Amino acid sequence: MGLQSFQLESIAKTAKEGARMAGELSLKRMKQPYEVEYKTSASDLVTAVDKEVEEQLVKLILSRFPDHGILGEESTFKQDPNQFDTLWIIDPIDGTTNFVHQQINFSVSISVYHRGEAMVGVVYDPSRDEMFFAVKGEGAYLNDRKLHLDRQVTLEEALLCTSVFWNKRAEQIGIDQIVKKLAGKVRGMRLLGSAALEMAYVAAGRLDGYVSMSLNPWDFGAGRLLVEEAGGIATRMTGEPLPHDAKSSVMACNPTFYEELKQYMNISK
């Protein structure tokens, strides 16, 4: 049984409310002293703010939807997410390194999946007060503006974004070299350091495409729906559908050069 329209409306409202609350809290804490820790390396950071923000999000979600599951980057929710039909996938601060160093180019990512199908996606950029959101079948929006990818783009004209260059697996199978050649073929390459925000920018047409070798579901869960509801395509690099609860490569772009980009990446060789 799918979600009823009134349930979906309530979920979407809570997702946007939660994203704004989380963003405002992160901005407030950014101006105060906070602890920074390493996860796996000096380039993989987590702060006390990440953890506090996720705790507040989990508290809000469960207060309204106690029968829903939550998959969060900081593992605040302790039950098995696979036990739940409706699953919230959250990243309290996507782009923690940017949060620590730049104090811009980070975002809150919240998506809601029902039995594996993306239903709601929200990416909120608190530093610019930009709310990207989408509801399945209802389109994608940036604040009050509807997003639609209707510009014709060839690969040579595309502005792309990627996080492939320092990925070890990409080096092992040669994808980093393919992307370096790709950088010479397209109009330009960018790197923001927040996958959720980068995919939101694809949905908004600020970027024409995004490529990553390996992302966690909280990195791409909301961005995927934003891109799809704006008329774009988001898949694995191979062209296979994205999972909702597992790591995956990601290729999201304007549909007019999707096949060209997929062929160029040549993952299936």
Side-chain angles (χ1 to χ4, degrees):
M1 183 177 176
L3 293 172
Q4 300 295 317
S5 59
F6 73 90
Q7 294 173 306
L8 195 55
E9 182 179 347
S10 178
I11 289 170
K13 181 180 178 182
T14 298
K16 287 192 281 186
E17 182 182 329
R20 188 171 296 279
M21 175 273 293
E24 290 174 352
L25 180 57
S26 66
L27 288 179
K28 180 180 178 181
R29 293 291 185 259
M30 189 169 64
K31 299 172 184 177
Q32 304 167 351
Y34 57 85
E35 292 182 1
V36 180
E37 301 172 6
Y38 294 176
K39 279 187 175 180
T40 60
S41 68
S43 61
D44 186 12
L45 304 180
V46 63
T47 72
V49 184
D50 294 75
K51 297 173 183 177
E52 181 186 5
V53 171
E54 182 165 303
E55 287 171 358
Q56 292 301 312
L57 279 173
V58 168
K59 183 178 179 181
L60 173 66
I61 294 165
L62 293 182
S63 71
R64 298 183 182 179
F65 307 99
D67 58 338
H68 290 187
I70 302 171
L71 177 62
E73 181 172 15
E74 308 309 328
S75 303
T76 303
F77 185 76
K78 300 304 181 184
Q79 297 183 59
D80 180 3
N82 294 320
Q83 295 178 344
F84 299 87
D85 282 347
T86 305
L87 184 65
W88 294 66
I89 304 176
I90 59 178
D91 192 341
I93 301 179
D94 185 57
T96 301
T97 300
N98 291 346
F99 174 83
V100 172
H101 286 269
Q102 299 177 330
Q103 301 187 341
I104 58 170
N105 293 331
F106 63 93
S107 60
V108 182
S109 177
I110 300 175
S111 57
V112 183
Y113 283 69
H114 183 70
R115 296 183 177 174
E117 183 178 7
M119 303 304 294
V120 172
V122 179
V123 175
Y124 180 55
D125 177 355
S127 68
R128 299 178 177 92
D129 192 23
E130 290 190 328
M131 178 80 73
F132 302 84
F133 70 95
V135 176
K136 180 75 173 179
E138 297 182 13
Y141 292 81
L142 167 52
N143 295 335
D144 296 326
R145 178 170 65 89
K146 192 166 186 177
L147 304 175
H148 186 65
L149 296 175
D150 52 8
R151 188 168 68 91
Q152 297 291 309
V153 182
T154 64
L155 191 59
E156 289 81 1
E157 297 168 330
L159 182 64
L160 300 186
C161 197
T162 186
S163 60
V164 165
F165 291 121
W166 62 81
N167 184 281
K168 290 183 179 179
R169 183 170 169 234
E171 292 178 2
Q172 290 169 353
I173 63 177
I175 298 301
D176 63 322
Q177 294 302 315
I178 292 174
V179 173
K180 286 176 183 176
K181 291 179 182 177
L182 180 63
K185 182 178 178 65
V186 300
R187 179 164 287 168
M189 283 284 208
R190 298 293 183 266
L191 176 61
L192 297 180
S194 167
L197 197 57
E198 288 160 330
M199 293 182 75
Y201 278 18
V202 172
R206 296 175 180 176
L207 295 167
D208 297 307
Y210 173 76
V211 177
S212 180
M213 193 67 214
S214 179
L215 290 180
N216 287 300
W218 46 80
D219 298 317
F220 63 81
R224 165 196 184 177
L225 187 62
L226 287 169
V227 171
E228 291 174 346
E229 286 295 316
I233 301 175
T235 66
R236 295 178 188 260
M237 284 185 180
T238 56
E240 297 171 301
L242 286 168
H244 77 282
D245 58 355
K247 276 191 172 186
S248 177
S249 64
V250 174
M251 186 169 69
C253 67
N254 182 302
T256 57
F257 71 95
Y258 171 80
E259 290 297 334
E260 192 178 4
L261 179 60
K262 185 176 72 170
Q263 184 177 2
Y264 194 92
M265 295 306 295
N266 195 25
I267 300 301
S268 60
K269 62 179 182 178

